[in-house]
Amino acid sequence: MRAIALSVIAMLLLMASCGSRREQMVLHLEELEQRNMADSLLSNDSLAEALVAWFDNHGTPNERLRSRYILARTYADLGEAPRALEAFLDAAACADTAAPDCDFAKLSRVYRQMSELFYKQNLMDGFFEANDHSIKYAWKACDTLQALNESMYTLTAYDQKRNYDALIPMFDSLYTQFERYYGEAIASRYCIIPVKALIERRDLGKARKYLDSYESKSGYFDSSHHVNPGREDSHRDILTTSELQLCHLVRLNFDLKEIANILCINPSGISKLSAKVFAKLFNGKGSGKDLRKRLRGIS
């Protein structure tokens, strides 16, 4: 009887110890997740690796997914892209997509991060595959905004590949969906995306329509067409519609007279606008010729 009692006590102590350890590991994982959500630098790869090892033996599929995602984000913050990509792949493999409690939202973010790594390394086949999975699992998570954002991200690759036949109709469709779900103001914030393609296709009327929507409805500009306070740090938000059009037209090698006609600004006004754009983009003084030289030299 005494032996049985001691055995029961030992088992209870072991269970208590395991429970305490689980609480500690879950707490560590949640702390790292909070830091990641706050966009804080993750640099403790030893802790992240320890969490992976523990949850591999004691965790659920979702916990293994979460721990490997954090490990991948840590490697990415440390600048170790190959190890980050491998960890993202491992994280995705941990997901039990047939389970009713599968964390599809986290799985979508895993593939989003993978697609960004592929994109930065110009591995476009990998990008498109990861991006497709990110969109798919965002829809499964019933996260409409994430799914539409990921679809918009696809357009950056189409733009890089100059696949305008795919970019323009896809944007039109996504814009309609954003407007339907989130309103015209949110939809208008994406209107800058197809402008370059439309200008190169000489569809200037549609390009102007989207630029006007971007400036007047996105909430980024005031009634005088100046950027609203707090939005000055992004080049996309610094430039007004006329300035953006000027940049695109210069890069397409339109001459001064053509640009003046398209923008409905006299040539002297184009010269002043060019100097203003040069100062914004390159933090210095420059003429229209200087702007043309710099923009035409950007690939």
Side-chain angles (χ1 to χ4, degrees), residues 122-192:
N122 201 31
L123 300 171
M124 303 314 293
D125 288 342
F127 165 83
F128 282 114
E129 182 177 357
N131 183 249
D132 285 346
H133 279 91
S134 181
I135 296 168
K136 170 184 175 181
Y137 291 121
W139 283 120
K140 280 186 171 291
C142 299
D143 190 340
T144 303
L145 182 59
Q146 174 74 1
L148 293 178
N149 275 326
E150 292 307 302
S151 299
M152 282 290 188
Y153 190 37
T154 308
L155 301 183
T156 61
Y158 285 152
D159 184 63
Q160 179 179 318
K161 294 168 71 71
R162 300 175 67 86
N163 185 356
Y164 299 149
D165 288 336
L167 187 154
I168 294 171
M170 184 174 179
F171 176 81
D172 291 340
S173 173
L174 288 171
Y175 178 86
T176 300
Q177 292 181 71
F178 263 104
E179 190 175 34
R180 173 188 172 192
Y181 287 110
Y182 300 104
E184 190 175 43
I186 298 299
S188 296
R189 295 177 183 179
Y190 296 89
C191 282
I192 199 64

Side-chain angles (χ1 to χ4, degrees), residues 48-295:
E49 289 167 354
L51 288 172
V52 166
W54 195 89
F55 283 110
D56 274 355
N57 290 314
H58 306 286
T60 66
N62 283 339
E63 289 170 336
R64 291 195 290 273
L65 165 65
R66 290 165 57 195
S67 64
R68 288 188 179 276
Y69 175 69
I70 286 297
L71 177 62
R73 290 291 298 116
T74 302
Y75 287 152
D77 282 353
L78 292 172
E80 300 182 22
R83 297 181 75 187
L85 185 56
E86 182 179 3
F88 281 129
L89 289 167
D90 289 342
C94 289
D96 183 359
T97 56
D101 66 340
C102 179
D103 191 345
F104 287 117
K106 182 70 70 179
L107 186 55
S108 175
R109 287 193 287 273
V110 167
Y111 279 110
R112 162 68 185 213
Q113 296 291 330
M114 287 171 57
S115 69
E116 287 187 2
L117 284 177
F118 282 127
Y119 186 85
K120 289 176 181 177
Q121 297 175 58
N122 201 31
L123 300 171
M124 303 314 293
D125 288 342
F127 165 83
F128 282 114
E129 182 177 357
N131 183 249
D132 285 346
H133 279 91
S134 181
I135 296 168
K136 170 184 175 181
Y137 291 121
W139 283 120
K140 280 186 171 291
C142 299
D143 190 340
T144 303
L145 182 59
Q146 174 74 1
L148 293 178
N149 275 326
E150 292 307 302
S151 299
M152 282 290 188
Y153 190 37
T154 308
L155 301 183
T156 61
Y158 285 152
D159 184 63
Q160 179 179 318
K161 294 168 71 71
R162 300 175 67 86
N163 185 356
Y164 299 149
D165 288 336
L167 187 154
I168 294 171
M170 184 174 179
F171 176 81
D172 291 340
S173 173
L174 288 171
Y175 178 86
T176 300
Q177 292 181 71
F178 263 104
E179 190 175 34
R180 173 188 172 192
Y181 287 110
Y182 300 104
E184 190 175 43
I186 298 299
S188 296
R189 295 177 183 179
Y190 296 89
C191 282
I192 199 64
I193 292 174
V195 169
K196 175 184 173 184
L198 290 167
I199 290 177
E200 291 204 21
R201 288 293 178 85
R202 300 297 197 270
D203 192 348
L204 301 179
K206 194 171 184 178
R208 182 181 293 278
K209 172 188 172 184
Y210 277 135
L211 281 168
D212 287 345
S213 180
Y214 175 71
E215 183 170 302
S216 64
K217 299 173 183 176
S218 66
Y220 290 162
F221 302 90
D222 63 22
S223 58
S224 300
H225 309 293
H226 297 132
V227 145
N228 285 324
R231 305 220 52 97
E232 298 87 354
D233 292 336
S234 167
H235 282 180
R236 178 179 292 176
D237 298 339
I238 287 175
L239 301 178
T240 66
T241 57
S242 295
E243 292 165 350
L244 284 164
Q245 281 184 308
L246 173 65
C247 291
H248 288 310
L249 293 170
V250 166
R251 292 203 59 195
L252 291 170
N253 209 27
F254 282 73
D255 62 30
L256 178 62
K257 184 177 179 181
E258 290 174 319
I259 294 175
N261 288 333
I262 291 170
L263 298 185
C264 299
I265 301 173
N266 62 46
S268 63
I270 294 296
S271 297
K272 292 179 181 178
L273 188 63
S274 297
K276 187 177 180 181
V277 170
F278 189 95
K280 286 183 176 182
L281 293 180
F282 305 112
N283 298 315
K285 293 182 178 180
S287 64
K289 290 183 178 180
D290 296 324
L291 180 66
R292 182 174 294 272
K293 182 178 180 180
R294 294 293 293 271
L295 290 179

Side-chain angles (χ1 to χ4, degrees), residues 20-36 42 44 47-48 50-52 54-55 66-67 70:
S20 177
R21 181 62 171 165
R22 160 168 278 280
E23 290 174 1
Q24 291 175 9
M25 300 305 280
V26 169
L27 181 61
H28 283 310
L29 178 59
E30 290 175 346
E31 288 174 347
L32 290 181
E33 288 176 329
Q34 290 171 5
R35 290 190 59 194
N36 182 54
L42 300 179
N44 192 343
L47 175 57
L51 288 172
V52 166
W54 195 89
F55 283 110
R66 290 165 57 195
S67 64
I70 286 297

